[in-house]
Amino acid sequence: MEFEDALECFLTYCVVEKGLLKQTISCYKEDLICFNKINKKNIVEELSLNDVEKYIIYLNNQGKAISTILRMVSSVKSFYLYLVHEKIINCDINQIDLPKKPSHLPTVLSFEEIDLLLEQPDLTKPNGIRDRAMLEVMYASGLRVSELINLELSDIDLNNNYVRCFGKGSKERIVPVGEYSSKYLSIYINEYRDSMKKGYYTEKIFLNNHGKEMTRQGFFKIIKKIAKDKDINKNITPHMLRHSFATHLLNNGADLRTIQEMLGHSSISTTQIYTNVTN
């Protein structure tokens, strides 16, 4: 089977059988195209563990961060497991020795830095209201950025202050948000969103300046600019708001199990890292 055909079958499997998010599928595709350019084997039956090892060496020589290497190789691993499952190849991908990711604690923002972020958007402009609503919702709910930008109009209940989102593996969860989040969401949706659509139609709540769906990269640029304008001297990312949400809840007495459910972690051990941050 040619690599391109096998790749399409694998991506279809990820959508239909595993229910993975569109962003995850896109990453898989990008990583595997890169893998194929390096190993230069157009017939998947010729793939071996040696090709994966060569790929790791290549990524390392390119100066990629360990976290990036692990993510890109994880895509290849999932592809190999699929090929084994379909009896196209026969190998044990778990034999590959992966580089060890150094343990580090999440970087969080202080309460003061959160306030600076929330105060920055220009509330006299539609995109300022949109930015304030996105920041308020993300900090109040701990959503992943992919969950935030995929929120649809039917996913919010402004009367009861909660949002419905779909996390990893399309797992649904209901997350409460604060009154401020509901306030700015309501203002954005009822007073500004329609004027931002510019002829496009989408159920996604948050739109970019061209009237289309907000992207991860678009929100990343927004939050980086706000941090720069407010002289927040941290390499800020959208995920930092999620880390801050969890840490600040713990600092204010919330129990770990509740935070686990709100974050959508499948294991409590994943959530426990925030106890080290608070310590």
Side-chain angles (χ1 to χ4, degrees), residues 19 21 144 147 165-173 264-266:
L21 294 173
R144 300 176 179 91
E147 295 167 347
C165 65
F166 296 88
K168 293 182 178 179
S170 295
K171 292 181 180 178
E172 178 183 343
R173 72 183 190 278
H265 288 160
S266 57

Side-chain angles (χ1 to χ4, degrees), residues 103-169:
S103 58
H104 63 276
L105 297 178
T107 302
V108 301
L109 298 168
S110 66
F111 289 111
E112 292 75 17
E113 288 168 333
I114 290 290
D115 285 340
L116 287 174
L117 280 180
L118 296 178
E119 290 171 359
Q120 176 61 17
D122 185 351
L123 301 184
T124 65
K125 298 179 180 179
N127 58 350
I129 293 290
R130 175 206 61 200
D131 296 348
R132 180 66 180 265
M134 294 183 77
L135 291 169
E136 289 281 1
V137 171
M138 198 166 189
Y139 176 60
S141 61
L143 296 185
R144 300 176 179 91
V145 64
S146 59
E147 295 167 347
L148 179 75
I149 63 174
N150 280 309
L151 285 177
E152 298 189 351
L153 294 171
S154 59
D155 292 329
I156 62 172
D157 185 331
L158 296 178
N159 293 323
N160 296 302
N161 296 337
Y162 73 77
V163 298
R164 176 183 63 176
C165 65
F166 296 88
K168 293 182 178 179

Side-chain angles (χ1 to χ4, degrees), residues 10-22 25 170:
F10 169 64
L11 297 178
T12 301
Y13 165 79
C14 289
V15 173
V16 177
E17 298 294 333
K18 301 189 72 175
L20 298 182
L21 294 173
K22 182 169 62 175
I25 304 297
S170 295

Side-chain angles (χ1 to χ4, degrees), residues 9-222:
C9 291
F10 169 64
L11 297 178
T12 301
Y13 165 79
C14 289
V15 173
V16 177
E17 298 294 333
K18 301 189 72 175
L20 298 182
L21 294 173
K22 182 169 62 175
Q23 286 80 10
T24 304
I25 304 297
S26 178
C27 286
Y28 275 178
K29 184 175 183 179
E30 183 179 334
D31 293 341
L32 288 167
I33 288 174
C34 178
F35 172 68
N36 190 40
K37 285 181 180 179
I38 303 307
N39 69 62
K40 298 178 181 178
K41 289 184 178 178
N42 291 323
I43 305 300
V44 291
E45 285 84 354
E46 297 177 359
L47 291 173
S48 67
L49 297 182
N50 190 43
D51 295 309
V52 184
E53 292 174 346
K54 288 180 179 178
Y55 187 51
I56 294 173
I57 293 172
Y58 166 81
L59 294 175
N60 187 62
N61 290 339
Q62 291 293 307
K64 301 287 187 185
I66 290 178
S67 57
T68 302
I69 294 175
L70 290 174
R71 180 188 62 76
M72 297 178 76
V73 175
S74 175
S75 300
V76 176
K77 180 179 178 180
S78 296
F79 183 53
Y80 267 61
L81 290 173
Y82 166 77
L83 295 176
V84 171
H85 179 265
E86 296 297 316
K87 297 181 170 56
I88 297 174
I89 62 174
N90 182 23
C91 64
D92 183 5
I93 188 66
N94 292 317
Q95 292 181 7
I96 295 292
D97 290 327
L98 296 175
K100 302 298 182 183
K101 187 176 181 179
S103 58
H104 63 276
L105 297 178
T107 302
V108 301
L109 298 168
S110 66
F111 289 111
E112 292 75 17
E113 288 168 333
I114 290 290
D115 285 340
L116 287 174
L117 280 180
L118 296 178
E119 290 171 359
Q120 176 61 17
D122 185 351
L123 301 184
T124 65
K125 298 179 180 179
N127 58 350
I129 293 290
R130 175 206 61 200
D131 296 348
R132 180 66 180 265
M134 294 183 77
L135 291 169
E136 289 281 1
V137 171
M138 198 166 189
Y139 176 60
S141 61
L143 296 185
R144 300 176 179 91
V145 64
S146 59
E147 295 167 347
L148 179 75
I149 63 174
N150 280 309
L151 285 177
E152 298 189 351
L153 294 171
S154 59
D155 292 329
I156 62 172
D157 185 331
L158 296 178
N159 293 323
N160 296 302
N161 296 337
Y162 73 77
V163 298
R164 176 183 63 176
C165 65
F166 296 88
K168 293 182 178 179
S170 295
K171 292 181 180 178
E172 178 183 343
R173 72 183 190 278
I174 305 297
V175 184
V177 294
E179 292 183 6
Y180 281 110
S181 302
S182 292
K183 171 187 173 182
Y184 286 103
L185 264 177
S186 179
I187 295 173
Y188 165 67
I189 292 171
N190 295 324
E191 300 180 25
Y192 293 96
R193 184 177 178 275
D194 282 347
S195 66
M196 296 180 67
K197 289 194 294 188
K198 299 182 180 179
Y200 293 102
Y201 174 79
T202 177
E203 283 295 307
K204 296 291 189 295
I205 294 176
F206 298 110
L207 309 178
N208 62 25
N209 294 341
H210 302 289
K212 298 181 180 180
E213 300 170 4
M214 178 67 67
T215 63
R216 295 166 61 96
Q217 295 84 357
F219 184 54
F220 182 81
K221 290 178 181 178
I222 289 170

Side-chain angles (χ1 to χ4, degrees), residues 104-109 234-235 237 239-241 243-244 247 277:
H104 63 276
L105 297 178
T107 302
V108 301
L109 298 168
K234 289 180 179 176
N235 186 23
T237 66
H239 211 67
M240 205 176 286
L241 285 173
H243 293 322
S244 304
T247 304
V277 179

